[in-house]
Amino acid sequence: MKQLLLSAVACLFFILQGKAQIFPYYGIISGNEKELKECSFDKDANAIILLHEATSDYDDEYHLITTHHVRIKILKEAGISVADVSIPFYRKDDFENIYKVEGMTFNYDAQGHEVITKLDRKSIFTKKTNERIGEVVIAFPAVKVGSIIEYQYESVMRHYGGLDDWDFQDRLPVLASKYTLVIVPNAEFAYQVSKTSGYPIVIKKQEYRGGIFFEMDSIPGLGNESYMDARRDYLQKVIFQLSGINRGGGKDKYMNSWDEVSRGLLIEPAFGPQLNKNIPGTGEFIKSVKMLPADEDKMKAVFNYVRGNMVWNNLYSKYAADGVKDAWQKKGGTSGDINLTLVNLLKEAGLEANPVLVSERFHGKVNTAYPFLDQFNSVFAYVVINNKKYFLDATNTTLPPHLTPIEILNTVGYVYSRKKGGLIEITNDSLQFKENVSGAITISPQGTVDGELSVHSFDYARVEKIQEYKTDKKKFISDNFEVPGTTIGAKDITVENMDKDSLGFIQLAKVSGNLNTTGEYSFMPLNIFTGYSTNPFISTNRFSNINFGYPRLLNFNINIQLPATYVLDALPKSMRLITPDKDISFLRQVEYSKEDNQVICIMQIEFKESLYPPEAYPMIKEVYQKLFDYLKEPVVLKKKTPGN
């Protein structure tokens, strides 16, 4: 249970009887904090968390009581919004409550005198997000650049089953993060520190109280990085595992092996018993499927049948809560309802099919050392045909069955099967994001550009481009058929093969515009319609993996007809850029045909690997910098002078 926070509150200021943590520095601002104008280890930061400290303890009934103390300074105008504090909480079944909320804003007048504005009840309210999750929202008053906001609160959970990880890192830089855990007596627990090398941590055991103290300092903020998985996977944090608690005459035992996970799923009414059901009204369809000669055709037929007859309600689940028969009758439901129905029909068609629990990339990594079901957010169908593995998600209405869903590429799943179950790495062995771009462009004597362009998108490129096109055609054209920094682009496009999975998705465009001109020089860019318009790797630091999802290949071929009124002044050189491991390459061949007065440009950009660790970031950053430097090189034309 990773995000069980604060439950809906009838009275936020109720004083809970029992243990109370008092933070000695609450309300006392130091001179250094008052004078701080910039974060020295994250200079672009708009605000900084000066301190986040917390203590988790228990009362006589073994409730988990965590008291938080947070202090934040606003450094820039853009940081004022962080003073609207939102604390998500788990509201279902009244699992948690929050008490003793208080806070204040510190400002300083021209003479340096401290002005304190305290929170009142009207500044704190509770908002329902859904049936399980809500928010405690705090709106701090009198906030401006230079303000310091400070607050504290107490969270009470029913038991230590809600013990969460402690995150030292946040979206804002953190000057000091401190956490003390006092473990409930007779509990079995362990911890694991997850952090980047170079950021030291202090760990001290407190034998006198059965506790342990953690501290990290000066940690840069972590926002969303390009080609990032779940942000939470890369936070500097300490992970706690609770495996069991003795409660007098009995013991609450948590799953501590993957075999126990499998046994638990077997008897779970919404899972194991749902895997051998006859789906009403599908008998004739199954008979027709069994007549198909190839297992791949059978799989495709069942896959399309399910996603053509069931509608996803946008809720993720590992289970069929009301049963697959009920979901089929209702023609829709959660991802669990739909994909467990799919597994049943695949089995009825005679295929080797089992459910596979997955954690989609946005949900976070699966730590295989921790056999907990809450690491997975959904279930897909797993099919094996002639030793080839297929992962099917019938909530996705566009992805062909031979492509592994992008959301689970480079993740770990758990196949539920009495014979061949267990953890499985979900990778892409052969297919890639592949595009072929070709075109012919003519430059007029006046410097206008006209031409025709075709883009053929295959495999994952096909899937992504079709989805983008269907979602917003205007934005699709803007993103893919306009050259940034110029007026060159397409007003409309035509497409082909949208409904033919085995063929490339073809986009045809007529492009026009004007060359950028300075004096007697005009510039024809060669980086047009390649998809490489902005360098995503410019940050100094990188905490997360670089997950491209799949290998990538771009083939580019374009002819540029020059006008007789211009002479060629500069032509980008033909060149080759290849990494030592030969996993990334950029090839460019540029030639000028004097006889035809044409420039011919052929390029190929290839990424053979799809996943890189943070340690590879300096290499990736350097390669991308060189790549974009080369791509920015234009063909330079010069107007002919009279007599030439």
Side-chain angles (χ1 to χ4, degrees), residues 262 266-267 272-273 276 347 354 415-422:
S262 185
L266 175 65
I267 62 175
N276 293 293
K347 284 177 174 288
N354 291 288
V415 178
Y416 173 80
S417 171
R418 296 183 183 182
K419 295 181 179 179
K420 300 179 181 178

Side-chain angles (χ1 to χ4, degrees), residues 144-156:
K144 57 185 179 180
V145 175
S147 296
I148 294 175
I149 64 171
E150 183 171 39
Y151 59 99
Q152 62 181 9
Y153 60 90
E154 185 175 75
S155 161
V156 180

Side-chain angles (χ1 to χ4, degrees), residues 453-588:
L453 183 81
S454 69
V455 179
H456 292 228
S457 304
F458 300 92
D459 298 339
Y460 287 105
R462 169 191 166 81
V463 173
E464 284 196 15
K465 291 297 181 69
I466 289 177
Q467 184 62 44
E468 292 170 4
Y469 180 82
K470 287 182 175 180
T471 301
D472 189 336
K473 179 180 177 181
K474 185 176 180 180
K475 186 176 186 299
F476 177 81
I477 294 173
S478 173
D479 290 346
N480 295 281
F481 293 93
E482 292 182 1
V483 181
T486 76
T487 62
I488 301 172
K491 292 184 172 60
D492 197 8
I493 65 172
T494 57
V495 299
E496 298 176 6
N497 300 337
M498 187 179 295
D499 299 320
K500 298 178 181 178
D501 290 347
S502 60
L503 300 177
F505 176 51
I506 299 176
Q507 307 125 71
L508 304 173
K510 293 184 181 297
V511 298
S512 60
N514 298 291
L515 296 181
N516 289 340
T517 300
T518 301
E520 58 186 347
Y521 294 96
S522 294
F523 307 91
M524 176 64 211
L526 293 181
N527 184 18
I528 53 177
F529 319 117
T530 64
Y532 290 85
S533 58
T534 305
N535 186 352
F537 300 117
I538 58 175
S539 300
T540 302
N541 301 310
R542 177 88 184 193
F543 289 95
S544 67
N545 287 343
I546 302 159
N547 190 348
F548 293 115
Y550 30 67
R552 294 168 178 259
L553 176 64
L554 169 71
N555 292 310
F556 178 90
N557 189 329
I558 196 162
N559 291 356
I560 304 169
Q561 182 67 54
L562 305 182
T565 53
Y566 285 83
V567 294
L568 186 64
D569 187 77
L571 192 69
K573 294 180 180 179
S574 297
M575 50 77 61
R576 171 180 288 190
L577 170 66
I578 301 179
T579 57
D581 292 336
K582 298 182 179 179
D583 53 333
I584 303 174
S585 63
F586 171 54
L587 308 178
R588 182 177 68 189

Side-chain angles (χ1 to χ4, degrees), residues 408-443:
I408 61 169
L409 280 173
N410 297 320
T411 70
V412 173
Y414 183 80
V415 178
Y416 173 80
S417 171
R418 296 183 183 182
K419 295 181 179 179
K420 300 179 181 178
L423 295 166
I424 184 172
E425 292 188 4
I426 305 173
T427 58
N428 171 52
D429 297 327
S430 57
L431 299 175
Q432 58 187 343
F433 183 104
K434 180 180 178 181
E435 284 198 316
N436 296 334
V437 180
S438 60
I441 286 177
T442 299
I443 300 174

Side-chain angles (χ1 to χ4, degrees), residues 64 85 216 249 256 282 285 317 329 359 384 390 454 459 465 502:
L64 175 60
V85 174
M216 290 185 73
N256 53 26
T282 62
F285 168 74
S317 177
Q329 295 290 350
S359 178
V384 179
Y390 298 88
S454 69
D459 298 339
K465 291 297 181 69
S502 60

